[in-house]
Amino acid sequence: MKSVELKSGGKMPLLGLGTWKSEGEALAAAILRALECGYRHIDCAPIYGNEQQIGRALGDALSAVKVSREDLWLTSKLWNACHRPGDVLPACMKTLNDLKVDYLDLYLIHWPLAFKPGIEYPASTNDILRKSELPIGETWGAMEKLVEMGLVKNIGVSNFNISNLQELLFTAKIGPAVNQVECHPYLQQADLLRFCRSSGIHVTAYSPLGSSDRPDSLKSKDEKSLLECEQIQKIAEKHGVSPAVVLIAWHISEERSVIPKSTSAERIKENFQASSLQLDSEDLGDIRTVTHQQRCVSPKDWFAEGSPYREEDIWSNQKEAMAV
Ligand code: A2P
């Protein structure tokens, strides 16, 4: 299994199992199946509502496949309701208790925006704090303390654009090791990837298969399927693999980690083939020619009228990219 050495020293397996939208018996079976296939990286978050289930499944699965905790990479994330410095340690402890582990390999700030205290999910845009009400550096300081306490080995962020990263880098004692963002051929993120590379920030790609099982509220009417992308299908045919395997292998070939979600035993195994498929320069060039643009995850209600954030505040890299 290929891995990457983060600037903080951690050795992170490039292929991980995504767990957003996984639940119940199927989730427990998926964890066991993934470990049996050779996955050694699981991506979690409390907002997925399944960390307790993962914790219950994980202990049994690790003993069944005779893999020790040290050989597994566990990522989780700090939810937007817990950005106040005093809320960071309790949130991390809750995740550790739910996952039944005593440390995380990687802990990420899930989003660069925070909700008002006590608000798990905003009922209206009034529940969203302005940047100035809770500067991200304060949350990051509490994340750094978790490293000092030995509760998390590496810290990073998710859904941060270039200006959010720049703001964080300005005050951070420990720079973010990872930025986990949506990335696939319909959202190639060239400017953001370039900035992260030049700043030593490793990128993890989420929604690599287009997350077709996500809620309808995150979908638009005229979406295109990534699995049916012409260039991807051509490359899949050339290598005798499925389009999903090509979509996953693209990240690994470019040294990004990637966290496809599946609860199907067959597809978990199929997706693992991507760890041994190296795409060639012709394939990589073909993927760069994909022009269709599509974002899977952008909670529109956070950017509705009255919100302190516009959608482009979160996603735009244009102005900053020119300065890179
Ligand atoms: P399932 O869990 O039934 O396998 P993403 O990782 O981008 O969020 O995408 C997850 C979606 O992709 C889920 O609907 C998942 O379904 C599906 N999926 C996972 N692996 C494959 C595969 N190899 N081929 C087709 N669909 C897949």
Side-chain angles (χ1 to χ4, degrees), residues 21 207-213 227 244 260-264 267 270-271:
K21 312 172 253 82
S207 294
L209 306 175
S211 291
S212 57
D213 56 346
L227 298 167
K261 171 266 174 183
S262 180
T263 44
S264 142
R267 288 192 284 271
E270 177 187 326
N271 295 348

Side-chain angles (χ1 to χ4, degrees), residues 6 12-13 16-19 40-46 48 50-51 54 58 69 72-78 95-96 99 101 103-110 152-158 178-180 202 204 257 259:
L6 303 179
M12 180 184 191
L17 180 73
T19 62
R40 293 292 179 267
H41 168 176
I42 300 177
D43 183 82
C44 315
Y48 304 161
N50 53 15
E51 287 195 327
I54 294 174
L58 203 53
R69 166 70 187 92
L72 181 71
W73 183 278
L74 270 183
T75 298
S76 187
K77 311 185 187 90
L78 178 79
T95 280
L96 291 172
L99 293 175
V101 291
Y103 70 92
L104 292 172
D105 296 281
L106 179 62
Y107 199 43
L108 308 175
I109 297 183
H110 204 149
V152 309
K153 305 252 186 216
N154 305 277
I155 47 177
V157 294
S158 180
V178 169
N179 187 17
Q180 184 182 120
H202 174 75
T204 300
S257 43
I259 46 168

Side-chain angles (χ1 to χ4, degrees), residues 184-258:
H184 45 67
Y186 292 162
L187 190 70
Q188 301 202 14
Q189 305 265 32
D191 294 328
L192 181 59
L193 296 189
R194 201 174 310 119
F195 178 84
C196 287
R197 202 173 308 122
S198 68
S199 311
I201 301 171
H202 174 75
V203 170
T204 300
Y206 76 68
S207 294
L209 306 175
S211 291
S212 57
D213 56 346
R214 72 198 190 284
D216 287 344
S217 59
L218 290 174
K219 291 186 179 172
S220 61
K221 267 189 257 130
D222 48 357
E223 285 191 1
K224 281 196 184 183
S225 160
L226 263 171
L227 298 167
E228 287 165 18
C229 170
E230 195 188 311
Q231 288 89 334
I232 297 301
Q233 290 197 333
K234 189 180 121 204
I235 299 167
E237 219 167 280
K238 171 174 148 186
H239 292 283
V241 296
S242 68
V245 169
V246 172
L247 287 167
I248 299 165
W250 176 52
H251 298 289
I252 298 173
S253 300
E254 296 202 330
E255 291 247 317
R256 287 184 292 279
S257 43
V258 53

Side-chain angles (χ1 to χ4, degrees), residues 160-177:
F160 273 44
N161 65 3
I162 295 175
S163 76
N164 286 324
L165 289 170
Q166 284 174 324
E167 185 184 339
L168 187 59
L169 287 166
F170 197 64
T171 56
K173 281 192 280 172
I174 305 174

Side-chain angles (χ1 to χ4, degrees), residues 134-153:
L134 181 42
I136 200 70
E138 292 185 16
T139 309
W140 190 252
M143 297 284 283
E144 290 173 328
K145 289 211 178 83
L146 300 177
V147 179
E148 286 164 23
M149 294 167 79
L151 298 174
V152 309
K153 305 252 186 216

